[in-house]
Amino acid sequence: MVRVRFAPSPTGYLHVGGVRTALFNWLFARRMGGKFILRIEDTDLERSSKEFEVLILESLKWCGLDWDEGPDIGGDFGPYRQSERKETGIYQNYAQKLVEAKKAYFAVHDPEDSKKVIKKAFEWPQEYFKKGYDITIKFKIEEGETRFNDLLKGKMTFKNDVFDDIVIIKSNGFPTYNFAVVVDDHLMKITHVIRGEDHLSNTPKQIMIYQAFEWNPPEFMHIPLILGKDRSPLSKRHGGTSVNYFREQGYLNKALMNYLALLGWSVEEEIFDYKEKVETFTLNSISNKSVIFDYQKLEWINGKHLRNIDTIELYSIFYDWLKTFKKEEIEVIRELDINKSYALKVLKICREKVNTLAQLLEMIKPFLVDEYEYEGKYIEKFKSDGQAAKVLEESIKIFEKARELDNTDEIRKLLENVSNNVEVKRKRAFQIVRGALLGKLITPGLFESIQVLGKSRTLQRLKRTLEIGRNWK
C-alpha cells in the first residue's frame, strides 16, 4: 500500500510551498487508495512553537487536506509528533544500535569550539559527561558514493566525501532532522517521500543511514520550489506566502488549492476543484520545471471560484470570514444576520465586480451601512460639477412618482429621463447618481444596484447626498 507523509516543522506559518507539497502527497495517496500521514517534526526546541503547530493544523484543515491516522483524540486523528515519539526512547535506541555496530560514535565536543570533537568513543564517555562536556552521537560517513533514483530528476550520485560525519543525537538527547526522519519513515512504512528539492542534499545522508540499518529506503521525488518573479525562492519580500495570509486577504480555499495545483501539475483546464481531479493525478504529470508564483493569476482564479459558487454558500463563507478576520465590522455582520434575503441579493450583484472577500467587503459595505462614507473622487466630482445637485433633485422627483423600482429596464428609462430633463449627458448623470447611492464611482451595475436597494432606500440615499453635498466646498 502507498503510504506518504507531510512533515512540517512548527517554526512558522504554513508556507504555500509546503501546502503544494502536502497537496501532491494527498492526491497521490487518494489516487492510489493509500494513506496520507501527518507528522509534526518538532525536535528543534528553540524554534518550535505550539502556537504555530495549531495554525498549521488549522491551515491544513481549511485547505481540505485530511490525514488518515495518528494518535486518537476523541475520535479524531491527531498528528504524530516527534517530541512525543522521542519520549518513548525510539531515536536513542536506534542510535545506540548504530554505535554498537560501530557505524556511529559518541562525540565529545570542545567547550571553546562546539564544532570541534576532542574525543570519539563507542562507549559512553562517563568521565567527560561528569565534567559537563557536550556529548552527541555522530554517524560515520564511509568512503565512496551514494546513488539513488529520483522519480522526477532521474539517477542521482553524490560523493560521500563532501559530507562530514552527521550528528544524529544532539547533546540534549533530541534527534536531528536527518536521523529522526529516517527512523520515522521506516517505522511508519512510508513508501514514497515527495518533497521540495531544497531537501535534495539531505537525501544521500538519509540513504546512508538507511543502508547502515540495512533498511530499504522509500522512493524519493524532489519537486522544484515555488519562486518569486526574481526567480529566487518565494519569500516575504515577494509578498504574502502563508496560508493564513491568503485566508485573511479573503481567498477561497478551493481557489488557492486550484492555483497551487497548477504550479507543477499538468492539468487540461484552469478552473477546477482539486478533489474532483484525484483520478487524473499521477506522479508522471508533475513537471520538473521551475514555477513562478503569480499573485495576479491567483486573484483571477479566486474571482472565478467566487462567482461560480452558489450565492448561499458564498454568504456562509463570507459571514464566517468576517467573524474570523473582520470582527470590527459590527454593522455589516449585524445586517447579514438580520436581513439575509437582502444580503443575498447584494452579494449576487457585488461579486461580479470583485475577486476576493476583502474586495467584496468594500463593495458590499455601502449597501448594508446607511451611514456610508463618500470617496474623495466622488466628492471632487460633485463639487466641480455645477449640475450635480440638479441631477439629484430631478432623480428624487422622478423616482418619487415611479412605482417600485424593481425592473432594470424601467430604472434605465427613468434615469435617461433625468439626463434629458437636466440636459446632462447620460454617463455624467449616471455617475452622479451612482456615487450618491453608494459613495463610490465604481460599483455594481447602477440599474441593478437601484433594483436591490429598492425605492425607499434609494430615495433616502439621494436625499442624504443632496443635503451633505451642499456643504462640500
Side-chain angles (χ1 to χ4, degrees), residues 59-183:
S59 293
L60 287 172
K61 289 175 182 176
W62 181 77
C63 290
L65 299 176
D66 53 322
W67 53 96
D68 297 312
E69 65 179 50
D72 191 314
I73 48 171
D76 249 342
F77 289 130
Y80 291 110
R81 296 180 181 87
Q82 285 185 336
S83 59
E84 294 174 355
R85 292 168 64 77
K86 181 259 181 187
E87 296 304 313
T88 68
I90 59 171
Y91 305 119
Q92 191 75 39
N93 291 340
Y94 277 105
Q96 184 62 38
K97 290 179 185 293
L98 291 178
V99 172
E100 291 170 0
K102 292 184 168 47
K103 295 177 180 178
Y105 57 86
F106 296 106
V108 180
H109 294 262
D110 187 335
E112 304 298 326
D113 182 359
S114 61
K115 293 183 180 180
K116 184 178 180 181
V117 174
I118 60 175
K119 183 176 177 60
K120 300 178 182 180
F122 296 114
E123 298 291 337
W124 177 248
Q126 183 68 21
E127 66 278 14
Y128 287 94
F129 176 71
K130 287 181 178 180
K131 293 177 181 178
Y133 283 80
D134 282 343
I135 301 171
T136 64
I137 299 179
K138 299 190 81 172
F139 177 77
K140 291 171 63 178
I141 302 294
E142 302 292 343
E143 295 181 356
E145 296 179 336
T146 298
R147 299 185 179 91
F148 66 94
N149 182 63
D150 187 284
L151 294 175
L152 188 61
K153 301 181 182 302
K155 293 181 179 179
M156 308 294 293
T157 301
F158 290 82
K159 297 282 188 181
N160 291 355
D161 60 12
V162 302
F163 303 109
D164 295 325
D165 288 355
I166 308 166
V167 174
I168 57 175
I169 300 292
K170 293 179 278 189
S171 59
N172 63 2
F174 274 76
T176 58
Y177 164 76
N178 280 309
F179 184 63
V181 73
V182 170
V183 173

Side-chain angles (χ1 to χ4, degrees), residues 45-58:
L45 294 179
E46 293 182 359
R47 298 177 61 218
S48 294
S49 158
K50 195 68 179 177
E51 177 186 357
F52 283 129
E53 180 190 316
V54 170
L55 287 171
I56 287 170
L57 299 183
E58 286 181 354

Side-chain angles (χ1 to χ4, degrees), residues 278-407:
V278 169
E279 293 306 313
T280 68
F281 183 82
T282 65
L283 294 182
N284 290 336
S285 62
I286 296 178
S287 171
N288 193 30
K289 294 180 180 178
S290 297
V291 288
I292 307 291
F293 196 91
D294 187 334
Y295 289 87
Q296 290 182 327
K297 179 69 174 289
L298 169 59
E299 184 180 312
W300 177 80
I301 288 175
N302 198 73
K304 289 288 186 181
H305 279 273
L306 192 146
R307 284 180 280 281
N308 284 344
I309 61 177
D310 182 80
T311 310
I312 294 176
E313 182 183 358
L314 176 59
Y315 172 92
S316 178
I317 291 171
F318 183 58
Y319 183 82
D320 289 344
W321 176 76
L322 287 171
K323 295 280 280 186
T324 303
F325 297 105
K326 299 291 181 181
K327 294 178 181 178
E328 71 277 8
E329 296 290 349
I330 299 171
E331 288 185 86
V332 175
I333 294 171
R334 186 186 66 230
E335 287 299 313
L336 289 174
D337 271 328
I338 65 177
N339 204 346
K340 184 176 178 178
S341 60
Y342 172 65
L344 287 171
K345 294 176 184 177
V346 176
L347 280 171
K348 188 173 182 179
I349 64 170
C350 285
R351 70 176 180 178
E352 297 301 320
K353 290 275 188 174
V354 300
N355 287 326
T356 69
L357 298 179
Q359 294 171 7
L360 180 60
L361 172 60
E362 294 306 308
M363 190 68 71
I364 198 176
K365 193 172 179 179
F367 283 91
L368 302 180
V369 178
D370 286 328
E371 297 299 316
Y372 54 92
E373 296 180 357
Y374 298 89
E375 66 179 8
K377 288 182 180 178
Y378 179 69
I379 293 174
E380 291 303 317
K381 183 172 186 61
F382 190 97
K383 286 160 57 177
S384 62
D385 193 321
Q387 297 291 82
K390 289 185 178 180
V391 169
L392 296 187
E393 289 169 352
E394 186 66 20
S395 299
I396 293 168
K397 178 181 174 183
I398 287 179
F399 284 157
E400 282 181 332
K401 295 178 181 178
R403 299 180 305 163
E404 283 300 317
L405 303 174
D406 55 5
N407 183 287

Side-chain angles (χ1 to χ4, degrees), residues 2-7 18-32 34-37 65-66 68 190 192-196 219 221 223 281 283 286:
V2 164
R3 290 174 62 84
V4 297
R5 48 72 166 178
F6 178 57
V19 179
R20 185 192 59 162
T21 298
L23 171 62
F24 288 166
N25 277 278
W26 186 92
L27 285 167
F28 183 54
R30 296 291 174 266
R31 173 68 177 84
M32 302 303 293
K35 299 291 185 182
F36 174 68
I37 314 299
L65 299 176
D66 53 322
D68 297 312
I190 300 302
H192 296 74
V193 173
I194 304 166
R195 58 190 180 186
E219 298 273 9
M221 184 176 196
I223 57 180
F281 183 82
L283 294 182
I286 296 178

